[in-house]
Amino acid sequence: MSDGNDINALLRARLPAGAPLQIPPPCLLDMQGEPVAYVEGVSLAMRFPVLPRYQNPIGHMQGGFIVAALDNTLGPFSYLIAPPSVTTSLNTQYLRPVTPDMPHITCHARLMERTRNQLFLAGEVRDDAGRVLVMCQAVCQILPQKST
């Protein structure tokens, strides 16, 4: 999907009626994430600019901002494939730095396994050449649904 409105419309359509959720959330808007590919129930890719304000003291993208970009990909993906959930763990491995000469990074989220109450997700950050820079594994707890 190339249009962020499409993914937001999909998200809104899949949320329980009257759910008090802001789609897209302010954190995603602030990071200027844009969807680049969605495969129904399988994966979501989002692109994020590498902005100077995200730099650590040596000029690389600070790890917390990289994780925030991953979380801003894993979160929407989790809402597309299951009822609303919350992240209970997010483990990250940094393989290569995100350097200031990279105009953007692309975060990929995919479903590894789903149980009745949990989602097991994998994430990657790639550069324009397709090199994996960061990998992560996440577990999301599916929230109990209120009876109507």
Side-chain angles (χ1 to χ4, degrees):
M1 267 184 202
S2 59
D3 187 349
N5 291 326
D6 292 343
I7 198 103
N8 292 328
L10 267 176
L11 283 163
R12 286 185 195 104
R14 293 183 185 189
L15 292 174
L21 301 171
Q22 185 176 343
I23 303 296
C27 56
L28 180 58
L29 293 172
D30 185 62
M31 291 196 75
Q32 303 173 36
E34 62 175 322
V36 292
Y38 175 60
V39 178
E40 180 76 31
V42 176
S43 64
L44 173 66
M46 302 271 294
R47 183 176 25 242
F48 295 86
V50 177
L51 301 176
R53 69 178 182 249
Y54 299 156
Q55 290 179 355
N56 64 20
I58 61 173
H60 298 158
M61 189 172 183
Q62 195 262 348
F65 285 105
I66 296 169
V67 170
L70 278 164
D71 201 22
N72 275 318
T73 305
L74 294 163
F77 179 61
S78 73
Y79 280 36
L80 288 167
I81 60 174
S85 62
V86 294
T87 305
T88 57
S89 71
L90 181 63
N91 298 309
T92 309
Q93 298 81 42
Y94 299 94
L95 307 176
R96 295 179 179 91
V98 176
T99 59
D101 60 318
M102 298 175 181
H104 61 268
I105 54 173
T106 303
C107 296
H108 300 264
R110 67 183 182 285
L111 177 65
M112 302 307 293
E113 185 176 346
R114 179 180 175 172
T115 67
R116 193 173 71 124
N117 297 317
Q118 292 182 313
L119 301 171
F120 296 86
L121 307 175
E124 293 179 344
V125 175
R126 293 181 177 266
D127 64 10
D128 285 342
R131 292 180 303 170
V132 177
L133 309 174
V134 177
M135 299 180 346
C136 77
Q137 303 79 39
V139 179
C140 299
Q141 181 72 35
I142 297 172
L143 297 172
Q145 299 301 293
K146 295 180 181 176
S147 301
T148 54

